[in-house]
Amino acid sequence: EVQLVQSGAEVKKPGESLEISCKGSGYTFTDYWIGWVRQMPGKGLEWMGIIYPGDSDATYSPSFQGQVTISVDKSISTAYLQWSSLKASDTAMYYCARGYDSSGFLLTSDTFDMWGQGTMVTVSS
Amino acid sequence: QTVVTQEPSFSVSPGGTVTLTCGLTSGSVSTTYYPSWFQQTPGQAPRTLIYSTNIRSSGVPDRFSGSILGNKAALTITGAQADDESDYYCMLYMGSGIEVFGTGTKVTVL
């Protein structure tokens, strides 16, 4: 079965660091991108960034550049989203999603075709 | 900064047709933005409906269709059913590897 499985919910204090994960299975992990999407409570979806496991090349939304780090360990088919110093405003559900190049020539992801179940991150003192 | 805009809400009767749109605060949406559409019900992860303007994702019923209407991308639900009541988001490819979600539309079926 093709799936993305995310790590469990986290409760952290402001200033702490955090890494959440997204493990792909049932497909060739290095053939697709992995993107991260934020959804703050009661709000819409926000595209944070994307990484290509084949070469670990990551692209970030300007809104999230410098705020988070996206990485990957292709040996275990897992992508990560990291914070070095959490803020209360980082409280949100975070989804990973599999991206692919539907155009066939963009050489980057232009859509998401499947999603992880989400990881809830709560940051509170 | 360009924002991807969607109608905040729509109401449709069971069996009816509704068209949601996805536009830009500056410029027109075309196929080169590779518009995608996603459905999200409360408490659930999003589900991919449409990609590359009008290609249905695997398992998506044919009552969902995508197109370009004028200067916007559009998602049409034909023959709406109760379980179509959800939030719908478009996403556009903006170039340089960056994608942006729209503001989302809440669809009520009643």
Side-chain angles (χ1 to χ4, degrees):
Chain A
E1 180 188 4
V2 178
Q3 59 181 350
L4 296 174
V5 178
Q6 298 185 229
S7 50
E10 301 275 1
V11 179
K12 292 289 198 179
K13 292 183 175 4
E16 291 185 333
S17 63
L18 175 64
E19 178 181 87
I20 62 175
S21 66
C22 170
K23 183 174 175 62
S25 62
Y27 71 97
T28 302
F29 190 67
T30 50
D31 282 352
Y32 296 83
W33 287 259
I34 295 290
W36 287 96
V37 176
R38 183 175 79 174
Q39 188 167 39
M40 299 175 77
K43 302 298 184 182
L45 304 176
E46 299 175 90
W47 192 93
M48 301 176 70
I50 202 158
I51 192 164
Y52 186 62
D55 60 8
S56 298
D57 183 39
T59 301
Y60 296 87
S61 163
S63 299
F64 291 93
Q65 181 84 49
Q67 307 305 306
V68 296
T69 300
I70 296 172
S71 62
V72 68
D73 184 341
K74 63 183 179 183
S75 69
I76 55 171
S77 300
T78 301
Y80 302 94
L81 179 64
Q82 303 163 290
W83 293 261
S84 59
S85 181
L86 286 160
K87 303 185 277 288
S89 58
D90 293 318
T91 294
M93 180 71 82
Y94 292 88
Y95 295 101
C96 66
R98 190 176 79 167
Y100 85 106
D101 178 5
S102 72
S103 75
F105 60 83
L106 282 177
L107 303 183
T108 188
S109 171
D110 60 66
T111 192
F112 294 133
D113 67 346
M114 59 179 297
W115 296 73
Q117 83 276 20
T119 297
M120 184 67 206
V121 173
T122 302
V123 184
S124 174
S125 54
Chain B
Q1 177 180 335
T2 299
V3 174
V4 180
T5 60
Q6 297 182 244
E7 299 87 358
S9 63
F10 257 120
S11 184
V12 60
S13 301
T17 296
V18 63
T19 297
L20 317 182
T21 67
C22 175
L24 293 168
T25 53
S26 177
S28 300
V29 177
S30 65
T31 56
T32 61
Y33 284 85
Y34 299 92
S36 298
W37 290 91
F38 306 95
Q39 177 192 49
Q40 187 182 34
T41 52
Q44 299 295 314
R47 169 198 182 197
T48 304
L49 296 176
I50 300 283
Y51 63 93
S52 196
T53 305
N54 57 11
I55 302 175
R56 271 187 296 277
S57 192
S58 177
V60 173
D62 60 7
R63 66 177 182 273
F64 293 95
S65 61
S67 63
I68 299 292
L69 286 181
N71 61 351
K72 297 182 179 182
L75 174 72
T76 299
I77 308 173
T78 304
Q81 299 183 2
D83 60 3
D84 296 334
E85 187 161 293
S86 301
D87 295 323
Y88 292 84
Y89 296 91
C90 65
M91 184 177 78
L92 301 179
Y93 176 70
M94 306 301 278
S96 302
I98 292 176
E99 296 160 281
V100 177
F101 283 102
T103 50
T105 298
K106 183 177 183 65
V107 172
T108 302
V109 180
L110 51 72

